[in-house]
Amino acid sequence: MLEVEPSDEERSAVDGVLGPAESGWAGGQDRSAEDHRFARGGHAAREQRHLLLPALHALQSRVGWISEGGLNYLCARLTVPPAEAYGVATFYAMFSTEPRPKSVLHVCDDLACRLAGAEDLIAGIESALGPERSGELLRSPCLGMCERAPAVLMQSAGEHGGEVVLGDASLEALAPFVNGGPWAEAASGSEAAPQTRDPAAREGLRLIRRVGRVNPASLEDYRAHGGYDALPRAVELRPEGVIGELRAAKLLGRGGAAFPTGVKWEAVAQQAIRPHYFVCNADESEPGTFKDRVLMENDPFSVIEALTIAGLATGSEKGFIYIRGEYPHATTTLERAIASAYDAGLLGTDVMGAGFAFDIELRRGAGAYICGEETALFNSIEGKRGEPRNKPPFPVTHGLFGKPTGINNVETLVNVLEILRVGGSAYAEVGTAESTGTRLFCLSGRVQVPGVYEV
């Protein structure tokens, strides 16, 4: 099918990610024989391989599926073998290489949603859509909205399409979709962080104390509630001082491996090879887990500030936030916060005028549980199938793009702000000798008050 041509819509989607075509394949036509100024592929095209996943997202979002013509055009632009790109496209559950309706509804049928009546909801939707529209309904694994189960993800392809995740879904809430009209997000039926309802309880919180209190779209509001106090402190302490505070705090990674964070950061900082990278792993895909989503949606600047501190401490020039594809609201919230941070001089070539550079790029997954594993995540960012790598070598020496890389999940990084606020030793006074600090727990299913709790 290599001879299949892309549509104008597909060319536009790919060019929106890669920029205007300037090679021998400009506009989808091989012009190298006509004009020797054009060269096929080459080093410049291969350097863009890491844009394969964003470009696949663009095709899926514009057309509703990834056709042979669209994939051919993308492969020509990036000089990626079609079979290899097809292997990437078919790896992710959110992509389709078969024709699909422009609008589809992903209904979660994982544990928390089943307990909340997902099967009855699916049966009701099937009946309302009828056989002729059965392709518009897709069953989905966990969407990370467990505290508001049952949950659905609605996708509409096209130039002005979009995605909406609904919690507390019902046939009434989904009527606009079923009737083919405009979508409207259902009202929240629960609060994501129940402890924040009680002012006295909120005062004892560390990680979620700003949830529900700050406007996630306002940098000024974040600063008014203690935001960006930790970054100047990190500049003052310098990298070795920041790492010293992490060691004193005995902070363990919250992503599952419980590796000492200070040891990991120091190992990256000591590597002579450049550049260094730091990755925020926001691909929480474990059913029943949604704590990182709550932080990103309600306190996004805390994630950006903490990742910037990680970049300073480890000598990393660039950071990536790899977020699960099923989190469109968190993605939009972070995109806006990153833009505000750049506008305020808190990211870029001279952060806060402190003489160090740090950039953040947001990368969106596409429905692959395994990409929560750090090396699978690296492969995904690089435009490869999200399959784990053998260890050793370890990420601190051979991580993203083969360079020294630090990686922590959202919860781990947000702890760094608290450590710099109170000091490593004071931080370690909370918790136990073997597990210092507080932890976030997600409660969902048949409980009276679901949500994220800090203990």
Side-chain angles (χ1 to χ4, degrees):
M1 303 297 287
L2 298 180
E3 69 279 2
V4 179
E5 291 290 325
S7 67
D8 290 342
E9 197 174 27
E10 290 167 331
R11 287 193 183 94
S12 176
V14 172
D15 291 348
V17 175
L18 305 183
E22 297 177 351
S23 72
W25 284 86
Q29 301 297 320
D30 184 3
R31 299 170 58 188
S32 56
E34 305 170 17
D35 190 335
H36 295 293
R37 293 177 301 170
F38 294 104
R40 281 194 192 178
H43 184 66
R46 287 192 294 273
E47 281 189 334
Q48 289 191 303
R49 168 64 186 265
H50 66 100
L51 295 177
L52 178 60
L53 187 59
L56 289 171
H57 266 298
L59 285 170
Q60 181 75 38
S61 298
R62 180 66 68 87
V63 185
W65 67 294
I66 299 167
S67 73
E68 293 92 340
L71 195 63
N72 287 342
Y73 181 65
L74 175 55
C75 291
R77 288 294 315 274
L78 293 179
T79 66
V80 175
E84 198 170 316
Y86 180 80
V88 174
T90 54
F91 183 82
Y92 297 95
M94 294 182 72
F95 295 150
S96 175
T97 55
E98 299 292 334
R100 180 185 284 180
K102 283 276 190 177
S103 294
V104 292
L105 188 67
H106 302 262
V107 182
C108 176
D109 66 351
D110 224 313
L111 183 59
C113 288
R114 280 178 179 265
L115 289 171
E119 287 298 326
D120 290 339
L121 177 62
I122 290 172
I125 296 170
E126 287 177 337
S127 176
L129 291 178
E132 65 279 2
R133 295 178 61 191
S134 60
E136 297 177 29
L137 174 62
L138 302 170
R139 287 176 177 264
S140 170
C142 182
L143 294 171
M145 293 284 290
C146 314
E147 86 282 16
R148 292 181 56 194
V152 301
L153 168 64
M154 298 193 296
Q155 292 180 311
S156 177
E159 186 175 0
H160 303 292
E163 297 179 330
V164 175
V165 173
L166 302 183
D168 311 303
S170 64
L171 279 176
E172 292 75 18
L174 296 172
F177 177 91
V178 173
N179 298 328
W183 298 346
E185 187 161 359
S188 173
S190 62
E191 294 185 39
Q195 290 165 307
T196 60
R197 301 173 187 171
D198 179 1
R202 185 191 286 272
E203 293 307 312
L205 301 175
R206 293 181 167 196
L207 306 181
I208 58 174
R209 67 180 185 277
R210 281 187 290 262
V211 171
R213 174 175 284 182
V214 301
N215 177 359
S218 172
L219 175 58
E220 292 72 21
D221 200 21
Y222 175 67
R223 282 178 147 165
H225 289 87
Y228 278 104
D229 287 348
L231 182 56
R233 176 62 176 153
V235 172
E236 177 186 342
L237 288 171
R238 301 180 63 82
E240 58 274 15
V242 173
I243 292 171
E245 292 292 343
L246 294 185
R247 282 181 167 275
K250 301 178 183 177
L251 175 65
L252 302 179
R254 301 322 202 208
F259 192 84
T261 305
V263 175
K264 179 188 289 187
W265 286 26
E266 186 174 44
V268 176
Q270 290 176 344
Q271 301 304 313
I273 297 174
R274 294 288 172 177
H276 294 178
Y277 296 100
F278 208 101
V279 178
C280 171
N281 184 346
D283 191 65
E284 58 172 1
S285 301
E286 192 73 35
T289 305
F290 48 91
K291 57 187 174 60
D292 289 350
R293 191 205 88 231
V294 168
L295 284 169
M296 291 185 289
E297 290 180 349
N298 295 279
D299 196 14
F301 288 103
S302 68
V303 182
I304 296 167
E305 182 182 11
L307 183 55
T308 306
I309 292 170
L312 168 67
T314 60
S316 300
E317 292 85 350
K318 186 167 185 176
F320 287 87
I321 300 175
Y322 187 92
I323 187 169
R324 13 175 353 190
E326 297 91 340
Y327 283 176
H329 180 52
T331 299
T332 301
T333 302
L334 281 171
E335 286 173 342
R336 292 171 178 167
I338 290 170
S340 295
Y342 271 107
D343 290 343
L346 299 168
L347 291 172
T349 56
D350 187 14
V351 177
M352 287 193 339
F356 76 98
F358 191 67
D359 290 297
I360 292 178
E361 186 172 338
L362 189 64
R363 284 298 176 89
R364 189 180 174 207
Y369 173 85
I370 192 60
C371 286
E373 194 278 332
E374 58 188 14
T375 62
L377 185 156
F378 296 155
N379 278 338
S380 184
I381 291 178
E382 292 176 15
K384 304 168 186 173
R385 289 170 63 89
E387 296 171 334
R389 304 173 183 174
N390 290 328
K391 299 179 187 177
F394 293 98
V396 295
T397 59
H398 297 78
L400 186 62
F401 304 117
K403 302 298 182 181
T405 303
I407 181 169
N408 289 117
N409 74 344
V410 171
E411 183 186 355
T412 307
L413 287 171
V414 173
N415 270 278
V416 174
L417 304 181
E418 180 67 14
I419 290 170
L420 295 186
R421 184 176 77 90
V422 302
S425 297
Y427 175 94
E429 292 176 1
V430 173
T432 69
E434 301 300 322
S435 181
T436 62
T438 60
R439 295 296 301 267
L440 297 180
F441 293 89
C442 303
L443 294 186
S444 60
R446 289 181 177 167
V447 296
Q448 289 187 352
V449 188
V452 173
Y453 289 82
E454 184 173 351
V455 180

